[in-house]
Amino acid sequence: MKYFMGFLAIFFVLCANAAGGVWYVDKDNVSGAEDGASWATAYTSIQPAVEAASRFTYSEVWVAGGNYTAATNPVLTMKANVSLYGGFTGTETARDQRDWQARV
């Protein structure tokens, strides 16, 4: 039983790490911290968020409205199992709170 419980604990840790999450992008972030873990520490460009999200399964990248540019061609390279959503103000806690028509 002791070994089973240990296996179960390891299983849950591995599954939690494999599951995706939300990565945040806001070009107006001036905090000086960019890890994409919250709106307060959002990436200021989209590609780093896509790269971070691609290390997990089924992650989402939430992008605050605005114009995003890059010196690369293409500007953005998407990765498998990453969904990109725009139209956020930078305060939302649920995807359905965004207004992608008002905040392009």
Side-chain angles (χ1 to χ4, degrees):
M1 184 67 167
K2 178 173 76 172
Y3 293 110
F4 176 75
M5 295 305 287
F7 171 78
L8 195 57
I10 290 170
F11 175 77
F12 283 119
V13 168
L14 291 176
C15 288
N17 287 336
V22 175
W23 301 88
Y24 301 87
V25 180
D26 185 351
K27 68 178 188 62
D28 296 326
N29 174 15
V30 293
S31 71
E34 290 187 38
D35 64 10
S38 69
W39 285 119
T41 60
Y43 289 108
T44 56
S45 58
I46 299 170
Q47 191 66 53
V50 170
E51 297 295 333
S54 72
R55 293 190 297 262
F56 301 90
T57 305
Y58 304 112
S59 293
E60 296 183 358
V61 174
W62 292 6
V63 183
N67 292 322
Y68 292 85
T69 60
T72 59
N73 186 12
V75 171
L76 177 64
T77 303
M78 287 301 296
K79 302 289 183 172
N81 299 318
V82 176
S83 298
L84 184 67
Y85 297 96
F88 294 92
T89 62
T91 60
E92 294 85 353
T93 57
R95 190 179 345 125
D96 64 357
Q97 294 173 323
R98 71 190 178 119
D99 186 348
W100 58 270
Q101 292 176 322
R103 288 180 291 283
V104 183

